[in-house]
Amino acid sequence: MADNQEITAGLAEIIEEVAGVAKDEVTSDKSFVDDLDIDSLSMVEIAVQAEDKFGVKIPDDELANLKTVSDAVNYVQANSK
Amino acid sequence: MSSSDVVVTGLGATTPLGGDVESTWEGLLSGRSGVSTLEADWVERFDLPVKIAAQLAVDPTEVLSRVEARRLDRSEQVALIAARQAWQDASFGDDGVEPERLGVVIGTGIGGATTLLHQDDLLEEHGLRKVSPLTVPMLMPNGPAAHVGLEFTARAGVHAPVSACASGAEGLAWAWRMLRNGDADVVLAGGAEACIAAITMAGFAQSRTMSTRNDDPEHASRPWDVERDGFVLGEGCGVVVLEREEFAKARGARVYARLAGAGTNADAHHITAPDPEGTWQAKAMEAALRNGGIAASDVQHVNAHATSTQVGDVTETVAVRKAVGDQPVLTAPKSMLGHLLGAAGAVESIATILSIHHGLIPPTTNLKELDPGVSLDVVAGEPRKMDLDIAINDSFGFGGHNVALAFTSP
C-alpha cells in the first residue's frame, strides 16, 4: 500500500491533469473548493481517475465528504487494497 | 432609454486563413486559400466522396492552456479565442463594462457535435465511468456564448441563435436589437463553428451540396464560377464588439464602422433550397436598409453569402438586384475561407467592416468564367480600392433563414 506522501503526489498529478492546479499547490490542508478552486464537475473526474490509480471505490456519498486533500488521502489510505 | 446607433469597436477571429483578424484579412486581400486535403483517417475508412475542408490555420490548443482546452468543445475554444481578441481590440479600460450592461450573442449551426460523438464512443467502449461530467456543457449549442459570458461576466443576457449558416449573422442582428432596445451598452456578438467530422462530412456529402474537387482543394470553392460544384466545409469563429454609440463616444473608443440596420426573416419554402425567386432574401436586405434609414441606391457593396453551390449563388444575385439594384460591387469570401457555417456570417461581417475601414474589397478567387446568370460587378483577381460608406453582408441558412446586415462608415 502506498504511503501518504505517495498518495498525495499521485492525487496532485490527477488534479493538475484535470483542473490545471500546480502540483506543489496540492498540500494536505488545502480545501478542494475554497483553496484549489475545483468545481463539483471536476471533482467527479478526479474521483474516477483516483479510483483507477489507487484501486479504490469512491461512492458519491463518500465523495461529498472529501473536502480537503488530507480527507482524500486518508480515504484512499484506508480503503485501497 | 432612447434608441441608439450601434457601432463596431472591436474585432476578433480565428479562421482557416489565420489565427487572428490581421492574418485573416491579409489572406483575403492576397487571395490565399484556406482549403486543404483532410488527413483524418476516417476519410479513407468511410471512402468519403469529399476529402477536403477549410481547417483552422492555428489549432486552438496552441493558444489555450491545456486545462482550458480539455474542458471546452472545439466550438467553445474558438469562441473564447475570438472573443478575447475582440475584447482586447476594443480597449476597455480597467473598469471594463458593468456586468448588467454587457451582453453576449454567439450563434452556432451545429454546436458541440464532436463532443457528443466522442463521449458516445467512450460510453460504448468503456462504459459510464469514462463519460466526462462536462459532456452536456460541452455539447450544448449555447456553450460558446455561455463560456464567453462567464469569461467577461456578462449579465445583460447571453444568447445563442441557431439558424444554420445564418447563425453568426443572426448573432449580430440580435445584438443590434439588444443595443437598440437599450438592454445593454456593449455586446460581444458573433458565431462559432467547429464540426469537421466524419458524420458531418458524410451527411453534407450525401445531400450533394459539397464540392468533390478533391485533387485541387485550393480551387474547390468557386462562387459564381460556371464550374462550381458545391461548398467546402470550414471551421472558425468571428466575434465583434458592438456598442451603443453614446457609450463608445463617452469612453473615446475607436470606431471601425456602424451597424446601421439588420433584417431577418424566413423563406418558409423548403428545408434546404432557397426560394428560387430570392423574394425573402431581398426582403431581408430591404429590412436592413429600412431599419438603418439607408436608400437602396446608396449601397455600394454586398459581401455575399455565395457558397459555391449551383442554385444558391445565382438566386442571391437576383435578390440583390431586386432589393438594392445593379450598382453594388459583390465579393464572395467563401472562395478563400470555405463555408464556416454558423461562423460564416460573423467572419464575413468582419471582412465587410474592414472593407469599409480600409476602403478595400477582397477579391473573389477561383472565378474563371462568371455564371451567365450573374449580371452584377464581381471583384475578382485583385482587391478593389473603393471609398466605401455603405455595404451589406448577407447570410442565409438551411431552414430558410435570411439575415442581412447593413454597415456604414463611422
Side-chain angles (χ1 to χ4, degrees):
Chain A
M1 190 189 297
D3 66 18
N4 275 8
Q5 222 172 346
E6 283 168 7
I7 296 169
T8 306
L11 200 57
E13 274 176 26
I14 295 171
I15 290 172
E16 187 185 44
E17 159 74 18
V18 172
V21 176
K23 276 185 242 174
D24 56 5
E25 292 279 308
V26 182
T27 53
S28 60
D29 58 326
K30 295 281 176 65
S31 153
F32 292 116
V33 174
D34 298 335
D35 298 324
L36 302 179
D37 202 22
I38 295 171
D39 64 22
S40 60
L41 296 179
S42 296
M43 280 304 292
V44 174
E45 276 193 272
I46 290 165
V48 169
Q49 291 203 21
E51 286 184 338
D52 291 347
K53 189 164 201 148
F54 301 117
V56 292
K57 283 261 171 263
I58 311 177
D60 286 355
D61 49 350
E62 295 287 353
L63 180 61
N65 295 327
L66 305 181
K67 306 283 189 205
T68 66
V69 173
S70 66
D71 291 345
V73 171
N74 294 338
Y75 181 86
V76 169
Q77 177 84 315
N79 292 280
S80 61
K81 291 158 216 139
Chain B
M1 201 166 297
S2 64
S3 91
S4 165
D5 276 356
V6 174
V7 295
V8 185
T9 59
L11 307 174
T14 181
T15 75
L17 293 176
D20 56 20
V21 170
E22 195 183 352
S23 52
T24 299
W25 179 241
E26 176 276 321
L28 288 170
L29 290 181
S30 62
R32 202 146 50 76
S33 173
V35 182
S36 61
T37 301
L38 270 170
E39 303 293 346
D41 64 338
W42 39 257
V43 178
E44 292 306 323
R45 181 146 47 96
F46 298 115
D47 193 21
L48 294 181
V50 179
K51 305 177 194 305
I52 54 175
Q55 299 160 90
L56 284 169
V58 177
D59 197 87
T61 55
E62 292 174 32
V63 182
L64 298 173
S65 76
R66 186 182 53 78
V67 171
E68 276 178 328
R70 83 186 284 282
R71 295 176 67 90
L72 300 171
D73 179 79
R74 194 171 169 90
S75 63
E76 299 170 339
Q77 295 174 357
V78 291
L80 202 56
I81 289 167
R84 283 174 179 167
Q85 292 173 7
W87 186 263
Q88 188 173 16
D89 190 41
S91 302
F92 292 104
D94 294 339
D95 294 341
V97 182
E98 279 291 313
E100 293 87 337
R101 303 296 300 160
L102 176 63
V104 174
V105 191
I106 295 179
T108 184
I110 306 282
T114 56
T115 289
L116 178 63
L117 293 164
H118 177 57
Q119 295 296 329
D120 186 59
D121 286 347
L122 291 175
L123 180 63
E124 294 283 353
E125 283 167 32
H126 305 287
L128 170 70
R129 294 177 75 258
K130 291 295 176 190
V131 174
S132 169
L134 295 169
T135 300
V136 173
M138 285 172 74
L139 72 82
M140 61 194 196
N142 56 318
H147 277 287
V148 171
L150 274 173
E151 169 97 356
F152 298 102
T153 322
R155 297 202 169 107
V158 172
H159 309 285
V162 175
S163 47
C165 310
S167 304
E170 196 163 346
L172 271 70
W174 194 330
W176 176 82
R177 291 198 186 104
M178 284 175 78
L179 292 162
R180 292 276 287 225
N181 273 345
D183 297 338
D185 290 324
V186 178
V187 181
L188 285 153
E193 201 75 78
C195 65
I196 299 175
I199 188 65
T200 45
M201 294 290 290
F204 279 125
Q206 286 296 79
S207 75
R208 308 293 194 272
T209 48
M210 286 174 121
S211 170
T212 54
R213 198 180 289 261
N214 295 315
D215 54 349
D216 189 12
E218 296 194 354
H219 300 105
S221 183
R222 41 197 317 127
W224 298 313
D225 184 81
V226 287
E227 291 192 2
R228 67 189 181 279
D229 70 332
F231 78 90
V232 175
L233 182 61
E235 56 178 355
C237 180
V239 173
V240 302
V241 175
L242 298 177
E243 299 185 45
R244 293 174 55 243
E245 186 177 25
E246 293 95 316
F247 189 84
K249 267 190 178 159
R251 71 180 190 90
R254 176 256 338 260
V255 173
Y256 285 104
R258 213 173 270 275
L259 176 50
T264 59
N265 64 30
D267 279 357
H269 167 74
H270 182 270
I271 195 64
T272 57
D275 168 4
E277 307 296 319
T279 307
W280 293 93
Q281 294 182 357
K283 283 186 187 294
M285 291 181 237
E286 288 163 4
L289 297 177
R290 194 168 56 244
N291 287 333
I294 298 166
S297 56
D298 289 340
V299 176
Q300 299 161 282
H301 170 48
V302 176
N303 185 304
H305 182 67
T307 61
S308 185
T309 54
Q310 271 302 327
V311 180
D313 288 15
V314 175
T315 303
E316 181 178 6
T317 64
V318 171
V320 168
R321 293 186 62 187
K322 208 177 276 186
V324 181
D326 291 334
Q327 80 286 350
V329 175
L330 265 57
T331 198
K334 286 185 182 74
S335 57
M336 293 164 277
L337 288 162
H339 192 347
L340 309 189
L341 304 186
V347 171
E348 293 163 15
S349 284
I350 290 173
T352 313
I353 291 160
L354 287 175
S355 283
I356 290 172
H357 185 65
H358 293 297
L360 271 177
I361 301 171
T364 304
T365 58
N366 304 330
L367 186 53
K368 286 256 171 62
E369 189 185 341
L370 188 65
D371 188 305
V374 178
S375 53
L376 291 165
D377 181 6
V378 175
V379 181
E382 299 275 305
R384 178 134 2 139
K385 274 189 144 175
M386 199 169 169
D387 269 340
L388 265 185
D389 287 315
I390 300 175
I392 285 180
N393 175 255
D394 278 342
S395 293
F396 314 123
F398 275 10
H401 312 278
N402 304 310
V403 180
L405 302 169
F407 294 97
T408 63
S409 58

